[in-house]
Amino acid sequence: MPPGLNDALVLLMTVQSLRAITLDDILDCPAIFVQNLPPRLEHLSLKDTIFSSLPTTRKELPKLASLAIRARYDLLMGPYSGLDQFPGDPMERTVNMSRLKTFQGDKCDAHTMPVIERILRPTSNSLEHLTLQQLC
């Protein structure tokens, strides 16, 4: 990605009025895209997006109401390079999921279900809608 485009996207991702963000089909997405998500963000959708790394710390975490993750299995990085790249701990350092009401997971299997369980653990008192697709 050209540096100018990268800088513009980083600025867009921090707009304080943003309530929903969808990252779709981004390979090698830089962690800086999610390092400074706006604190009022409520809806995050990661579709076929692969992060090179995730942030290690945040001052104010957005409190998500919904999270959707769709994994791709055909990427060069390996057969399970989507959803299972997110250990629960880095996700918890990126967003606050204690108020998550809706979770949608795609391509759920023996590799991704433990990750989904770790992601959903903090939502035990708030989750109202759960969608799991392509169980295999």
Side-chain angles (χ1 to χ4, degrees):
M1 181 178 311
L5 178 58
N6 187 61
D7 294 344
L9 289 173
V10 168
L11 285 175
L12 283 173
M13 298 289 281
T14 63
V15 172
Q16 295 298 307
S17 59
L18 279 177
R19 298 268 197 258
I21 292 176
T22 297
L23 299 177
D24 194 351
D25 202 23
I26 301 175
L27 303 179
D28 201 22
C29 185
I32 195 166
F33 279 17
V34 293
Q35 177 66 44
N36 297 305
L37 293 173
R40 297 169 72 186
L41 182 70
E42 295 176 355
H43 310 283
L44 180 61
S45 180
L46 304 173
K47 298 178 179 178
D48 301 334
T49 295
I50 303 299
F51 289 89
S52 50
S53 64
L54 287 175
T56 56
T57 58
R58 290 278 318 258
K59 289 183 181 177
E60 186 176 2
L61 298 175
K63 294 178 175 87
L64 292 185
S66 71
L67 173 64
I69 297 177
R70 182 178 71 205
R72 268 177 67 167
Y73 287 84
D74 61 341
L75 298 171
L76 298 175
M77 298 174 71
Y80 299 102
S81 55
L83 181 59
D84 62 333
Q85 74 176 322
F86 294 110
D89 192 40
M91 283 299 286
E92 290 169 10
R93 292 189 311 252
T94 305
V95 292
N96 180 332
M97 292 182 287
S98 64
R99 294 186 185 171
L100 194 72
K101 294 186 182 318
T102 303
F103 177 83
Q104 180 176 351
D106 191 1
K107 298 187 177 146
C108 303
D109 61 18
H111 296 280
T112 59
M113 286 308 289
V115 178
I116 290 172
E117 190 275 329
R118 285 195 310 267
I119 288 172
L120 295 179
R121 194 173 296 143
T123 70
S124 62
N125 293 322
S126 63
L127 196 63
E128 295 176 3
H129 306 279
L130 175 65
T131 303
L132 300 175
Q133 299 175 356
Q134 298 181 9
L135 296 169
C136 41

